[in-house]
Amino acid sequence: MKKIFTSESVTCGHPDKVCDQIADAVLDDILAHDPHAHVACEVTACTDQVHLMGEITGSYTPDYERIARGVIERVGYVYPGAGFDARSCRITQDIHAQSPDIARGVDRAHDEDLGAGDQGMMFGYACRETEDLMPLPITLANRLTRRLEQVRREKRLPYLMPDGKAQVSVEYENDAPKRIAAVVVSAQHSAVIGTDILRSAIESEVIRAVLPPELLDDKTDIFINPTGRFVIGGPAGDSGLTGRKLIADTYGGMARHGGGAFSGKDPTKVDRTGAYMARYLAKNIVAAGLAERCEVQLAYAIGLAYPVSLLVDTFGTGKISEERLAAHLMENMDLRPGVIIRRFDLRRPIYEQLASGGHFGENARALPWEQTDRARHLADALR
């Protein structure tokens, strides 16, 4: 049976990603000074303005304007008169303390006993399609957007601007990826470059530079800036908001999603911590050879430390029953948020780097939840 699956990625200059990076830069700055602060920071952006809002409680107050302008400059919006730039855009903020009703359910004398910062469910996923046990479509889409950023920053294509998107459609046969059916790249550019030159350069310097040649053929459809012009971009072209690229942040739609965003949230928020643990569990199950594909769902209740449910789905590829896998994880893995925080050392400033490019796979390869150090134990215990 043949099917085509598509995933999308966006560059660091996409308006939603600008907001995610500002929110996580605020979080990183706070954690560097107060690792136990409670942070829930949201950001919006539009033409010539950025607004930060949310709930933050801790012993340190960051310089929100300095952080926001620093992110915008690092992203590359430094050109005056383009509708959004680091120096002239207006930065405002409405930050207040966390609700005491939430704090009383989260804070505990011992960190490992702290309650979940909210209710919700989180999904983690892994499969054998790539070295990092990620779905192939989102892996390739992320490579395209990273390459767009690289050729822009290195001035190989000096007319590129920060905003951009990429989309990859992979054809599967009997659930195995066989070829790339279509590629879509939309890249913001200066007005001085012609469409034909731009399309030719992106195809050679971006698409064919990073996509596996054995997956491309003469039937692969390639679309580059389909409308022909993409000069106005970033927050000047479309408003931005934290948490609006959840599928690009995770598995490109190949797995289910609980709906909770990551950016701007400290690790007591299980939207982040639970999702990292669910990915860790799913990846180690696949790495252990217990399944070809695996999805793990965790669910928490606000103020309670232990998850209220755990579900394992191996999509018919499991070597043992899903019930046995789930029971083993519940009995042998401590899934309390405080313990996950300690296991992954999450009270440190590591989050801005994840706010663009994905929280799993190649962009997070060195981080603790991407390690397969539990795989041997799982294999020995369950085979």
Side-chain angles (χ1 to χ4, degrees), residues 83-157:
F84 188 81
D85 71 88
R87 178 170 295 183
S88 68
C89 70
R90 183 164 59 98
I91 311 289
T92 57
Q93 59 95 0
D94 287 296
I95 304 290
H96 56 84
Q98 184 185 56
S99 162
D101 292 345
I102 296 176
R104 70 191 297 270
V106 175
D107 294 331
R108 296 288 190 274
H110 300 289
D111 202 30
E112 64 268 21
D113 293 324
L114 66 83
D118 201 352
Q119 70 180 49
M121 68 282 193
M122 307 86 217
F123 291 91
Y125 181 82
C127 63
R128 292 202 172 276
E129 294 178 16
T130 66
E131 178 185 351
D132 293 284
L133 305 185
M134 284 286 286
L136 183 61
I138 187 62
T139 298
L140 297 181
N142 282 332
R143 287 180 187 172
L144 288 173
T145 53
R146 283 199 302 272
R147 180 64 176 176
L148 272 177
E149 293 173 3
Q150 180 185 0
V151 297
R152 171 175 65 89
R153 294 182 187 279
E154 293 178 354
K155 300 191 183 305
R156 295 169 67 96
L157 304 183

Side-chain angles (χ1 to χ4, degrees), residues 218 249 253 302:
D218 56 4
D249 284 340
I302 187 169

Side-chain angles (χ1 to χ4, degrees), residues 218-291:
D218 56 4
K219 294 182 180 180
T220 300
D221 291 319
I222 296 177
F223 304 96
I224 300 169
N225 284 23
T227 64
R229 178 181 168 89
F230 185 4
V231 173
I232 300 172
D238 194 7
S239 61
L241 177 66
T242 42
R244 209 158 55 177
K245 285 291 174 283
L246 306 182
I247 301 305
D249 284 340
T250 53
Y251 309 102
M254 189 69 78
R256 287 171 282 195
H257 197 291
F262 300 150
S263 290
K265 296 179 180 178
D266 76 79
T268 67
K269 312 297 191 294
V270 285
D271 283 338
R272 185 190 287 278
T273 303
Y276 292 168
M277 176 52 83
R279 161 66 173 170
Y280 176 75
L281 297 176
K283 187 172 184 179
N284 276 269
I285 287 171
V286 173
L290 299 173

Side-chain angles (χ1 to χ4, degrees), residues 98-361:
Q98 184 185 56
S99 162
D101 292 345
I102 296 176
R104 70 191 297 270
V106 175
D107 294 331
R108 296 288 190 274
H110 300 289
D111 202 30
E112 64 268 21
D113 293 324
L114 66 83
D118 201 352
Q119 70 180 49
M121 68 282 193
M122 307 86 217
F123 291 91
Y125 181 82
C127 63
R128 292 202 172 276
E129 294 178 16
T130 66
E131 178 185 351
D132 293 284
L133 305 185
M134 284 286 286
L136 183 61
I138 187 62
T139 298
L140 297 181
N142 282 332
R143 287 180 187 172
L144 288 173
T145 53
R146 283 199 302 272
R147 180 64 176 176
L148 272 177
E149 293 173 3
Q150 180 185 0
V151 297
R152 171 175 65 89
R153 294 182 187 279
E154 293 178 354
K155 300 191 183 305
R156 295 169 67 96
L157 304 183
Y159 39 78
L160 290 185
M161 305 290 281
D163 198 357
K165 297 181 179 183
Q167 191 170 281
V168 177
S169 302
V170 174
E171 182 179 298
Y172 288 76
E173 186 173 342
N174 297 324
D175 292 327
K178 293 299 181 183
R179 57 182 292 272
I180 296 172
V183 180
V184 183
V185 174
S186 295
Q188 185 190 11
H189 58 90
S190 67
V192 301
I193 193 69
T195 301
D196 291 341
I197 295 174
L198 175 73
R199 286 173 172 166
S200 177
I202 288 178
E203 180 169 351
S204 62
E205 292 286 343
V206 177
I207 294 173
R208 297 194 181 276
V210 298
L211 296 185
E214 67 274 14
L215 296 180
L216 296 168
D217 57 35
D218 56 4
K219 294 182 180 180
T220 300
D221 291 319
I222 296 177
F223 304 96
I224 300 169
N225 284 23
T227 64
R229 178 181 168 89
F230 185 4
V231 173
I232 300 172
D238 194 7
S239 61
L241 177 66
T242 42
R244 209 158 55 177
K245 285 291 174 283
L246 306 182
I247 301 305
D249 284 340
T250 53
Y251 309 102
M254 189 69 78
R256 287 171 282 195
H257 197 291
F262 300 150
S263 290
K265 296 179 180 178
D266 76 79
T268 67
K269 312 297 191 294
V270 285
D271 283 338
R272 185 190 287 278
T273 303
Y276 292 168
M277 176 52 83
R279 161 66 173 170
Y280 176 75
L281 297 176
K283 187 172 184 179
N284 276 269
I285 287 171
V286 173
L290 299 173
E292 295 297 304
R293 298 168 58 203
C294 182
E295 183 181 78
V296 173
Q297 184 200 50
L298 294 172
Y300 290 87
I302 187 169
L304 303 185
Y306 289 95
V308 298
S309 72
L310 184 152
L311 175 70
V312 177
D313 188 347
T314 59
F315 308 96
T317 71
K319 305 300 189 293
I320 63 173
S321 73
E322 293 159 344
E323 292 82 2
R324 188 180 172 199
L325 277 169
H328 179 85
L329 296 178
M330 286 292 279
E331 291 170 8
N332 294 278
M333 295 294 295
D334 196 329
L335 302 174
R336 292 175 292 172
V339 175
I340 299 171
I341 290 169
R342 185 179 64 214
R343 173 187 283 273
F344 295 155
D345 193 14
L346 296 179
R347 294 192 186 276
R348 56 194 171 111
I350 58 173
Y351 299 110
E352 185 184 351
Q353 64 181 308
L354 300 169
S356 177
H359 291 250
F360 310 115

